[in-house]
Amino acid sequence: MNPIKQHTDKLRISGLRPTKQRLAICKILFDRKETFHFTIDTLKKIVEKSNFQKISTATLYNTVHAFEKKGYLKQISLKGNKTYFDTNTKKHHHFFDEDLSQLTDIKNENICVKNLPQMPSGKKIKEIDITIRIANNNQKQKSN
Amino acid sequence: MNPIKQHTDKLRISGLRPTKQRLAICKILFDRKETFHFTIDTLKKIVEKSNFQKISTATLYNTVHAFEKKGYLKQISLKGNKTYFDTNTKKHHHFFDEDLSQLTDIKNENICVKNLPQMPSGKKIKEIDITIRIANNNQKQKSN
DNA sequence: TTACACTTTAGAATGATTATAAAGTAAGAC
DNA sequence: GTCTTACTTTATAATCATTCTAAAGTGTAA
Ligand SMILES: [Mn+2]
Ligand SMILES: [Mn+2]
Ligand SMILES: [Zn+2]
Ligand SMILES: [Zn+2]
């Protein structure tokens, strides 16, 4: 019931020790109703604003990558310099609001891809990433 | 007819001076039948292998960004640290071969997206990016 | 030929991310 | 509870992609 206990268990089951840094990060990432899309920088700012002690940048990277490896986070395909992570690890897609640089989930069943061309033999589909870039009406529109 | 002349004209029309560096880069990028997907690093290596004089990194970046701004190249949405560019500026999508880190075009009409959910009001679709990640059969498969 | 805006360039600066290696800590054994 | 050890955290340095700077070079129109 207690979320701290839940996180502790989850970490232990994964072979990760439930350190206070990891628990603080779990709380930030997973104790929320909605999907959370973030960069390391976003996360660092949230930690700083919280009353928790400082967490070093190295630990933020280590922890996020450890969680990714265990399947609790996934990386998002986006152009741009920084890496975005996603607490929603189910198959799904995204709106990317170019005005706000903000991601929103699109449920997998709310999009339907048809007519896939054949692919190189011996290769199998691992993942399909769809990003729908949106912006205010009054902006330059892609032609073609 | 002469491709050098074509590139010279194209550059001049765009308000870009046809310098020898730009023409050498045009030749590498645009004198080919197939779409070319590349990073600055790829391009640098090709220039180095060619018999052309060295082109500075700053010029490679400047030129590629100038061509992008003029609409002769576009950037590709991908996760990862480096920026990929594409000589195919038409609307289209990609296979990404995870074994080879290699992109292949999928024609826009060969893929069909249905059932788009409604999006935030006042916002308009600027672009849809679809990446189909493929790899050899014998690899970890995404579940869900 | 001249003048000048546009370009190229080496090198410094920035920003994200990763590596290093020393100090701190969780957890099982006793 | 104490010990032991492997796992973690951390400051800091290192790396890598990209951008900035400002000085030297070049295309072009007059
Ligand atoms: Mn990772
Ligand atoms: Mn650009
Ligand atoms: Zn998401
Ligand atoms: Zn392409």
Side-chain angles (χ1 to χ4, degrees):
Chain A
M1 306 299 107
N2 168 15
I4 304 266
K5 175 77 166 68
Q6 282 185 342
H7 297 143
T8 303
D9 291 350
K10 182 162 88 165
L11 289 172
R12 261 200 264 265
I13 286 165
S14 317
L16 297 172
R17 290 182 182 172
T19 63
K20 48 192 188 330
Q21 289 85 347
R22 283 175 178 160
L23 287 169
I25 293 171
C26 277
K27 202 172 148 195
I28 292 170
L29 297 182
F30 305 120
D31 285 353
R32 42 176 91 217
K33 288 238 177 60
E34 303 292 324
T35 298
F36 185 40
H37 301 110
F38 65 99
T39 61
I40 294 290
D41 200 57
T42 320
L43 179 56
K44 184 200 299 239
K45 290 204 176 88
I46 295 174
V47 172
E48 280 163 5
K49 262 181 288 192
S50 82
N51 54 350
F52 190 76
Q53 65 176 226
K54 177 180 191 284
I55 298 180
S56 74
T57 305
T59 297
L60 293 176
Y61 277 98
N62 289 341
T63 303
V64 166
H65 282 135
F67 288 1
E68 185 198 9
K69 191 170 296 178
K70 296 300 179 182
Y72 303 137
L73 290 175
K74 66 179 195 182
Q75 234 184 286
I76 298 174
S77 267
L78 262 195
K79 60 188 157 195
N81 38 331
K82 332 190 154 169
T83 302
Y84 278 78
F85 294 91
D86 194 335
T87 58
N88 181 353
T89 57
K90 299 212 234 357
K91 275 187 186 169
H92 69 286
H93 305 289
H94 295 100
F95 283 124
F96 182 74
D97 185 323
E98 298 188 336
D99 304 315
L100 308 169
S101 287
Q102 196 182 275
L103 288 155
T104 318
D105 282 352
I106 301 172
K107 284 204 187 123
N108 201 39
E109 55 276 24
N110 283 347
I111 229 171
C112 156
V113 179
K114 284 252 169 75
N115 263 346
L116 277 195
Q118 68 182 104
M119 67 202 65
S121 67
K123 300 287 180 179
K124 207 173 161 187
I125 294 180
K126 294 292 151 181
E127 201 171 12
I128 299 182
D129 291 327
I130 304 180
T131 306
I132 301 180
R133 309 192 139 250
I134 61 180
N136 286 325
N137 262 314
N138 52 315
Q139 251 150 319
K140 80 269 173 227
Q141 178 72 31
K142 292 272 152 63
S143 59
N144 168 237
Chain B
M1 306 298 109
N2 168 15
I4 303 268
K5 174 76 165 68
Q6 281 184 341
H7 296 142
T8 304
D9 290 349
K10 184 162 87 165
L11 289 171
R12 259 200 265 264
I13 286 165
S14 316
L16 298 172
R17 291 183 181 173
T19 63
K20 48 192 188 332
Q21 290 86 346
R22 282 173 179 163
L23 286 169
I25 293 171
C26 277
K27 203 172 149 196
I28 292 170
L29 297 182
F30 305 120
D31 284 354
R32 42 176 93 219
K33 289 238 176 59
E34 303 291 323
T35 298
F36 185 41
H37 301 108
F38 65 98
T39 61
I40 294 290
D41 200 56
T42 321
L43 179 56
K44 185 200 297 240
K45 288 202 177 88
I46 294 175
V47 172
E48 279 163 5
K49 262 180 291 194
S50 82
N51 54 351
F52 191 77
Q53 65 175 226
K54 177 178 191 285
I55 298 180
S56 75
T57 305
T59 297
L60 294 175
Y61 276 98
N62 288 342
T63 304
V64 165
H65 282 134
F67 288 0
E68 184 196 12
K69 192 170 295 177
K70 296 302 179 180
Y72 303 137
L73 290 175
K74 67 178 194 182
Q75 233 183 288
I76 298 174
S77 268
L78 263 195
K79 59 187 156 197
N81 37 333
K82 335 191 150 168
T83 302
Y84 278 77
F85 294 90
D86 195 335
T87 57
N88 181 353
T89 58
K90 297 211 236 354
K91 275 187 186 167
H92 70 286
H93 306 290
H94 295 99
F95 283 124
F96 182 74
D97 184 324
E98 297 187 337
D99 305 315
L100 308 170
S101 286
Q102 195 183 275
L103 288 155
T104 319
D105 282 353
I106 301 172
K107 284 205 186 118
N108 201 38
E109 55 277 23
N110 282 349
I111 227 170
C112 155
V113 180
K114 285 253 167 74
N115 263 346
L116 276 195
Q118 70 182 104
M119 67 202 66
S121 67
K123 299 287 179 177
K124 205 173 162 186
I125 295 181
K126 295 292 152 182
E127 200 170 14
I128 300 182
D129 292 325
I130 304 181
T131 304
I132 302 181
R133 309 191 139 249
I134 60 179
N136 287 324
N137 261 314
N138 53 313
Q139 251 150 317
K140 81 271 173 222
Q141 178 70 33
K142 293 271 152 65
S143 59
N144 169 239

